[in-house]
Amino acid sequence: MKLKIKWGLAVVAGLTVISLGSLSARAATNPYLTDRTGYVRTKKAMYVGIYQKQRGKYRPVKVKKNTLLAVEATASEWGTNGQVKTKAALTYGVVNYQRAKTYKYRNMASVPFTKANFKRVKLRAPIRTQIFHPGKGFTANADNSAAAPTAAFYLTLDNYLQYYDKSAVAKSPYLTGLRWVSSSVVTKPTQAVKVAKVTVKGSTTKIDYNRPIKGLPNHKIGKQRYRLTVVNQRTTGHLGIGPIDDTFSAFASWTNYTVNGRPFHFGEIEYG
């Protein structure tokens, strides 16, 4: 019998999926909550393996009804009645640093992934958790062996802009190598600000906040009111880094954006 699991970035970075017994690669996916479901809301209060640090100890959290959760992994097995049963590994997803550092996630892939428990949702602002870098694309470092680190920012699920300067990004391979940050990447930002409003129209996302962030092209729209207008240019680029010993040491690909008219990109780096 073979394992059928969807692995999320957080799982790859350190979370685990428990053994579920006899699993089959032939198991059909749930027609409502599939292995491609990224986010759900709870239909009732429940425990999903989230622990929060309180008074020096990690205690289980009973999440409230209608709580947004990120699906980090799913695993399926045949039930005794011949039907497929799917369970999920769930987290709060990418939330602001001060909040994220208080959580631990256990008992992964132990929650029945059913329509009775969860409602499938799509993010109203799809750019949430995308890692944006300034410039028209990745470039190689001085010795052409890896990508040169640049500053980065992203929008969290709980409406914070988190900005990392070049030195902070250089210390975290996740912030350069991945397209999306995950709940397992808890890196202290250089600066952060609470977002007041996010609006989306087509390929344009507007992010309003009350304090400028040094390093971002803040556009002042009023008293203590600033905006980032993020536009997907719907164009892409790629770069082979190397070669070393006649082969590329890395391959970078990205999608081009503008932020208040300045070039930014969103992409990933694969090292050989």
Short mmCIF file of all heavy atoms in Angstrom, two decimals, residues 10 14 35 46 63-64 67 74 81 89 96 122 145 153 156 163 185 202 204 216 246 261-262 269-270 272:
data_model
loop_
_atom_site.label_atom_id
_atom_site.label_comp_id
_atom_site.label_asym_id
_atom_site.label_seq_id
_atom_site.Cartn_x
_atom_site.Cartn_y
_atom_site.Cartn_z
N ALA A 10 5.31 24.17 5.04
CA ALA A 10 5.60 24.07 6.46
C ALA A 10 6.02 22.67 6.85
O ALA A 10 6.87 22.47 7.71
CB ALA A 10 4.40 24.50 7.29
N GLY A 14 9.79 21.17 8.48
CA GLY A 14 9.98 20.60 9.80
C GLY A 14 8.77 19.96 10.45
O GLY A 14 8.90 19.24 11.41
N ASP A 35 -6.97 17.69 -2.08
CA ASP A 35 -5.58 17.89 -1.67
C ASP A 35 -5.00 19.18 -2.24
O ASP A 35 -3.86 19.53 -1.97
CB ASP A 35 -4.71 16.69 -2.07
CG ASP A 35 -4.71 16.42 -3.56
OD1 ASP A 35 -5.36 17.20 -4.30
OD2 ASP A 35 -4.06 15.45 -3.98
N MET A 46 -13.09 23.61 17.70
CA MET A 46 -12.43 22.31 17.74
C MET A 46 -10.94 22.45 18.04
O MET A 46 -10.36 23.54 17.95
CB MET A 46 -12.62 21.58 16.42
CG MET A 46 -11.93 22.26 15.24
SD MET A 46 -12.15 21.35 13.68
CE MET A 46 -13.84 21.75 13.32
N VAL A 63 -9.76 26.19 18.67
CA VAL A 63 -10.03 27.28 17.73
C VAL A 63 -11.53 27.51 17.62
O VAL A 63 -12.33 26.58 17.71
CB VAL A 63 -9.42 26.99 16.34
CG1 VAL A 63 -7.92 26.86 16.42
CG2 VAL A 63 -10.03 25.76 15.72
N LYS A 64 -11.91 28.75 17.43
CA LYS A 64 -13.31 29.12 17.38
C LYS A 64 -13.93 28.79 16.02
O LYS A 64 -13.25 28.58 15.04
CB LYS A 64 -13.46 30.62 17.66
CG LYS A 64 -12.99 31.04 19.05
CD LYS A 64 -13.14 32.55 19.23
CE LYS A 64 -12.67 32.99 20.61
NZ LYS A 64 -12.80 34.46 20.80
N THR A 67 -12.90 30.19 12.12
CA THR A 67 -11.48 30.54 12.13
C THR A 67 -10.83 30.15 10.81
O THR A 67 -11.03 29.05 10.31
CB THR A 67 -10.75 29.82 13.28
OG1 THR A 67 -11.30 30.27 14.53
CG2 THR A 67 -9.26 30.13 13.26
N THR A 74 -2.35 16.85 3.64
CA THR A 74 -3.48 15.94 3.78
C THR A 74 -2.99 14.51 3.59
O THR A 74 -1.98 14.27 2.92
CB THR A 74 -4.58 16.23 2.73
OG1 THR A 74 -4.05 16.08 1.42
CG2 THR A 74 -5.16 17.62 2.92
N ASN A 81 -15.45 0.71 5.76
CA ASN A 81 -16.62 0.58 4.89
C ASN A 81 -16.26 0.72 3.41
O ASN A 81 -17.14 0.80 2.55
CB ASN A 81 -17.68 1.61 5.26
CG ASN A 81 -17.14 3.04 5.17
OD1 ASN A 81 -15.97 3.25 4.84
ND2 ASN A 81 -17.99 4.01 5.47
N ALA A 89 -3.49 18.29 8.13
CA ALA A 89 -2.62 19.01 9.05
C ALA A 89 -2.93 20.49 8.88
O ALA A 89 -2.88 21.02 7.76
CB ALA A 89 -1.15 18.74 8.72
N ASN A 96 1.44 37.39 11.79
CA ASN A 96 2.53 38.30 12.13
C ASN A 96 3.50 37.67 13.13
O ASN A 96 3.14 36.79 13.90
CB ASN A 96 1.97 39.63 12.64
CG ASN A 96 1.49 39.56 14.08
OD1 ASN A 96 2.26 39.68 15.03
ND2 ASN A 96 0.17 39.34 14.25
N LYS A 122 -11.24 30.79 -0.53
CA LYS A 122 -10.15 31.37 -1.30
C LYS A 122 -9.83 32.74 -0.71
O LYS A 122 -10.73 33.47 -0.28
CB LYS A 122 -10.55 31.51 -2.78
CG LYS A 122 -10.67 30.20 -3.52
CD LYS A 122 -10.94 30.45 -5.00
CE LYS A 122 -11.01 29.13 -5.76
NZ LYS A 122 -11.26 29.35 -7.21
N SER A 145 27.73 31.93 -8.10
CA SER A 145 27.46 30.60 -7.54
C SER A 145 26.07 30.49 -6.92
O SER A 145 25.60 29.38 -6.65
CB SER A 145 28.50 30.27 -6.46
OG SER A 145 28.43 31.19 -5.38
N PHE A 153 9.50 41.75 1.20
CA PHE A 153 8.35 42.01 2.06
C PHE A 153 7.23 41.07 1.68
O PHE A 153 7.19 40.51 0.58
CB PHE A 153 7.90 43.48 1.96
CG PHE A 153 7.06 43.80 0.75
CD1 PHE A 153 5.67 43.69 0.78
CD2 PHE A 153 7.66 44.23 -0.43
CE1 PHE A 153 4.90 44.00 -0.33
CE2 PHE A 153 6.90 44.54 -1.56
CZ PHE A 153 5.51 44.43 -1.51
N THR A 156 0.84 39.37 5.57
CA THR A 156 0.41 38.19 6.33
C THR A 156 -1.10 37.99 6.23
O THR A 156 -1.85 38.87 5.81
CB THR A 156 0.79 38.33 7.82
OG1 THR A 156 0.00 39.38 8.41
CG2 THR A 156 2.27 38.66 7.99
N TYR A 163 8.58 43.59 6.57
CA TYR A 163 9.67 43.96 5.68
C TYR A 163 10.99 43.46 6.24
O TYR A 163 11.25 43.56 7.45
CB TYR A 163 9.72 45.48 5.51
CG TYR A 163 10.93 45.97 4.76
CD1 TYR A 163 10.97 45.94 3.37
CD2 TYR A 163 12.04 46.47 5.45
CE1 TYR A 163 12.09 46.38 2.68
CE2 TYR A 163 13.16 46.91 4.76
CZ TYR A 163 13.19 46.87 3.37
OH TYR A 163 14.30 47.30 2.70
N VAL A 185 8.19 29.23 8.88
CA VAL A 185 9.26 30.22 8.74
C VAL A 185 8.91 31.42 9.61
O VAL A 185 8.15 32.29 9.20
CB VAL A 185 9.43 30.64 7.26
CG1 VAL A 185 10.56 31.66 7.13
CG2 VAL A 185 9.72 29.42 6.39
N GLY A 202 -8.99 43.07 -10.11
CA GLY A 202 -8.22 42.48 -11.20
C GLY A 202 -6.82 42.09 -10.74
O GLY A 202 -6.65 41.39 -9.74
N THR A 204 -4.60 44.16 -9.61
CA THR A 204 -4.08 45.22 -8.74
C THR A 204 -4.55 45.04 -7.30
O THR A 204 -5.74 44.84 -7.05
CB THR A 204 -4.54 46.61 -9.24
OG1 THR A 204 -4.03 46.81 -10.57
CG2 THR A 204 -4.02 47.72 -8.33
N LEU A 216 10.55 50.58 1.58
CA LEU A 216 9.46 50.39 0.63
C LEU A 216 9.07 51.73 0.00
O LEU A 216 9.24 52.79 0.62
CB LEU A 216 8.24 49.78 1.33
CG LEU A 216 8.37 48.33 1.78
CD1 LEU A 216 7.08 47.87 2.44
CD2 LEU A 216 8.74 47.41 0.62
N ASP A 246 30.49 22.99 -15.76
CA ASP A 246 29.65 22.82 -16.95
C ASP A 246 28.17 22.61 -16.64
O ASP A 246 27.40 22.22 -17.53
CB ASP A 246 30.15 21.66 -17.81
CG ASP A 246 31.55 21.90 -18.34
OD1 ASP A 246 31.84 23.07 -18.66
OD2 ASP A 246 32.33 20.94 -18.41
N GLY A 261 4.65 51.66 -8.87
CA GLY A 261 5.35 51.98 -10.11
C GLY A 261 6.76 51.48 -10.21
O GLY A 261 7.37 51.54 -11.29
N ARG A 262 7.32 50.96 -9.13
CA ARG A 262 8.70 50.47 -9.16
C ARG A 262 8.72 48.96 -9.38
O ARG A 262 7.84 48.25 -8.90
CB ARG A 262 9.42 50.82 -7.85
CG ARG A 262 9.52 52.32 -7.61
CD ARG A 262 10.40 52.61 -6.41
NE ARG A 262 10.43 54.03 -6.10
CZ ARG A 262 11.15 54.57 -5.11
NH1 ARG A 262 11.90 53.77 -4.35
NH2 ARG A 262 11.12 55.86 -4.89
N ILE A 269 14.08 30.00 -6.37
CA ILE A 269 15.39 29.58 -6.82
C ILE A 269 15.54 28.11 -6.52
O ILE A 269 15.33 27.67 -5.39
CB ILE A 269 16.51 30.39 -6.13
CG1 ILE A 269 16.31 31.88 -6.40
CG2 ILE A 269 17.87 29.93 -6.62
CD1 ILE A 269 17.17 32.76 -5.55
N GLU A 270 15.88 27.35 -7.53
CA GLU A 270 16.12 25.93 -7.37
C GLU A 270 17.62 25.66 -7.54
O GLU A 270 18.20 26.03 -8.57
CB GLU A 270 15.34 25.12 -8.41
CG GLU A 270 13.84 25.30 -8.29
CD GLU A 270 13.11 24.52 -9.36
OE1 GLU A 270 13.09 23.28 -9.29
OE2 GLU A 270 12.55 25.17 -10.27
N GLY A 272 20.85 23.14 -7.87
CA GLY A 272 21.16 21.81 -8.35
C GLY A 272 22.08 21.04 -7.42
O GLY A 272 22.54 21.54 -6.42
#
